[in-house]
Amino acid sequence: MRVEFRKFDGSLHWHHAARRLGEDAHGVWVGAGPGTVGAKGYEPPVVWEEPFVMLFPRDQWWVALFNAEPHRTAIYVDVTTVPEWRDGIVTMVDLDLDVVKKRTGVIYLDDEDEFAEHQVRFGYPAEVIAAAEESARWVLKAVTEGEGPFGGAHERWLGQVAG
């Protein structure tokens, strides 16, 4: 299957192949093994050395990525529109805000400046801005407190691609 993040104007952002692993109460899980190739828009491809899994929740404005060790980032959550599935492709609009948890335990909200800039550049509607901000607050709290899928739910799935 394909994972395609887009920007608000429809332009291609990060994209790569992945394997659908299954579903649970948190949503749909996909995984990518070591050596997965991806690209940002039409830039040259990159190769990710560590395996990772992604969670696409149902009806939520975010997508989570969980990296295997020794990657320095344990959890990376993109605030996005609700993921949409069509013909083996999952697509969502990246709304700039990211919640990051480093392997050291440091957790922070990233790219608030980009979010502010893109509100003007792309003309985000007020309801999109509000949904993105609310989602970022919820995800930051959930990651910080280890709630929901951020309390270790990924480990089962990561084991399927890390081996």
Side-chain angles (χ1 to χ4, degrees):
M1 63 163 289
R2 299 274 315 152
V3 174
E4 290 185 356
F5 286 87
R6 296 199 169 263
K7 284 300 190 179
F8 199 76
D9 65 355
S11 61
L12 188 61
H13 194 42
W14 282 103
H15 55 101
H16 59 86
R19 179 169 52 106
R20 186 182 173 118
L21 301 173
E23 297 185 42
D24 65 11
H26 302 296
V28 178
W29 293 85
V30 305
T36 295
V37 176
K40 185 177 183 180
Y42 297 99
E43 294 178 12
V46 296
V47 177
W48 293 302
E49 298 303 323
E50 289 91 10
F52 60 89
V53 293
M54 299 179 77
L55 171 60
F56 298 92
R58 297 172 195 88
D59 303 319
Q60 300 293 317
W61 285 63
W62 55 269
V63 172
L65 181 139
F66 301 85
N67 288 302
E69 291 188 50
H71 198 287
R72 293 180 312 211
T73 300
I75 301 172
Y76 192 97
V77 184
D78 286 286
V79 173
T80 68
T81 57
V82 175
E84 296 180 12
W85 297 83
R86 280 194 198 98
D87 303 322
I89 301 172
V90 60
T91 306
M92 56 259 113
V93 174
D94 183 315
L95 295 171
D96 317 308
L97 296 171
D98 305 302
V99 174
V100 181
K101 180 178 183 181
K102 295 304 218 177
R103 193 76 54 199
T104 61
V106 172
I107 301 168
Y108 58 94
L109 179 62
D110 199 19
D111 293 333
E112 292 175 278
D113 55 340
E114 187 179 340
F115 180 62
E117 177 188 321
H118 286 173
Q119 288 177 44
V120 175
R121 179 176 170 195
F122 294 127
Y124 291 174
E127 59 272 12
V128 168
I129 294 167
E133 290 172 339
E134 179 181 341
S135 183
R137 281 190 300 274
W138 182 88
V139 170
L140 184 60
K141 180 181 182 295
V143 169
T144 299
E145 297 178 2
E147 295 176 351
F150 307 109
H154 69 285
E155 291 171 10
R156 159 186 171 206
W157 304 101
L158 191 54
Q160 293 184 35
V161 294

